[in-house]
Amino acid sequence: MSNSLDAPAEAGRPRLGKAGTLARFALIGVALAAVAGTFAYLGGWFTPNQLTPARFTDGFEQVNGIHPASVATMPRGGRFRVL
């Protein structure tokens, strides 16, 4: 690279053709789809009928009813306080 003011500007890398541009856009689209798919999988959107803690508890409550001490003995918020 020359520091002379009279030297023409260097072109650097040649421009991509249509196929190269399309390939890069496709690669970016695949990467974005992979990230979105990962978030959807981890968020449970692909397995809506999966067993969750709430559904597990609801199943026991349907069979045996709600335990009488489950709400009355728990402090507000469901956590025990240590003094």
Side-chain angles (χ1 to χ4, degrees), residues 16-52:
L16 286 177
K18 288 185 181 183
T21 303
L22 184 61
R24 285 195 181 188
F25 279 136
L27 184 62
I28 291 170
V30 167
L32 289 175
V35 169
T38 301
F39 275 104
Y41 174 74
L42 294 176
W45 292 354
F46 292 145
T47 54
N49 296 327
Q50 184 178 9
L51 184 63
T52 62

Side-chain angles (χ1 to χ4, degrees), residues 1-8 10:
M1 186 159 114
S2 157
N3 289 333
S4 172
L5 295 176
D6 297 334
E10 294 182 19

